[in-house]
Amino acid sequence: MSPRAPVKPLSAVPRAVFALLAAALAAQLLWQASAPTPRARARELPPAPSLAALRLAALGEPVALSKAAMLYVQGFDEQAGVSIAWRELDYGKVALWLRRVLELDPRGQYPLLAASEVYGAVSDPARARLMLEFVHERFLEDPDRRWPWLAHAALVARHRLHDLPLARRYARDIRLRATGPRVPAWARELEVFMLEDMNELDAARALIGGLLRDGLITDPHELKFLSERLDRLNQSSESWQQDGGPKP
């Protein structure tokens, strides 16, 4: 067995080598200290796939995929290391994702809830209107089941956007299109309140009279409520005429 080579003591290493190593370490530390702090960057919401592609990916379970897609969209504002405000999202892409979710599960209601109560609550009026119009378009596909979300959209248009004509348009479509037996009377009466807020008292009176005359309201409490409201509107109209307003 050959003898082991003697190990040189550290004192035998030239000082220049130590100086070079120290300089390299110092340079590395300085470089790391001066480098900017890494920042997480938000990813943009990608465009929604086509319905055909989603149905193919669903493997016969479209409802399950719709729920997964909804979770994906709703969780997109919270990414690793960064939080995205709703007003910074591309609402055109959001609306298309929500539409795809509904197409996968037409009986689902959650995309409409998210559109009217979550994304529609954004402080940007343009984005809020886009979400309300999305709700309106999807309502037209199934009025008797989707009327609650258009009713909420009407209230958002009235109280948050202060757009009474838009609120009345939504309320009118509920009255004209949501005619199923499970649609409550108050939903059909929503247009009356919008007309009163617009000071369209004659139109409100005519609408209440039509609801009473056509037999669309059958609940005794609703009938009493509308009759009393019609009486108040008639009294308001008479007082206005006595004060110099134009006669009908």
Side-chain angles (χ1 to χ4, degrees), residues 3-163:
R4 182 179 298 178
V7 179
K8 294 183 179 181
L10 290 178
S11 58
V13 179
R15 293 184 178 180
V17 175
F18 279 119
L20 184 60
L21 289 173
L25 179 60
Q28 177 72 10
L29 293 174
L30 287 173
W31 179 80
Q32 290 184 354
S34 61
T37 303
R39 297 177 61 185
R41 300 183 63 181
R43 295 179 293 112
E44 291 187 3
L45 181 67
S50 68
L51 180 59
L54 287 172
R55 283 176 173 165
L56 184 62
L59 299 176
E61 297 290 343
V63 174
L65 183 58
S66 73
K67 296 182 184 300
M70 192 67 218
L71 289 174
Y72 170 76
V73 175
Q74 207 170 9
F76 205 83
D77 57 335
E78 290 292 339
Q79 301 178 22
V82 64
S83 179
I84 306 173
W86 290 334
R87 63 179 177 272
E88 296 176 5
L89 293 172
D90 185 330
Y91 266 41
K93 293 179 180 178
V94 171
L96 186 55
W97 273 101
L98 296 179
R99 179 176 179 177
R100 291 288 184 262
V101 172
L102 273 178
E103 288 171 338
L104 287 170
D105 180 16
R107 296 186 62 82
Q109 300 280 8
Y110 194 66
L112 296 169
L113 182 153
S116 62
E117 298 193 17
V118 179
Y119 297 111
V122 70
S123 58
D124 182 346
R127 284 178 165 83
R129 288 176 185 276
L130 193 154
M131 284 292 105
L132 298 187
E133 281 301 299
F134 167 80
V135 172
H136 180 248
E137 291 172 4
R138 305 282 75 80
F139 159 83
L140 296 175
E141 298 169 349
D142 191 356
D144 288 345
R145 294 187 65 255
R146 296 177 177 175
W147 65 265
W149 314 115
L150 190 61
H152 187 269
L155 296 176
V156 171
R158 166 65 184 91
H159 296 288
R160 191 169 297 149
L161 297 180
H162 307 290
D163 189 337

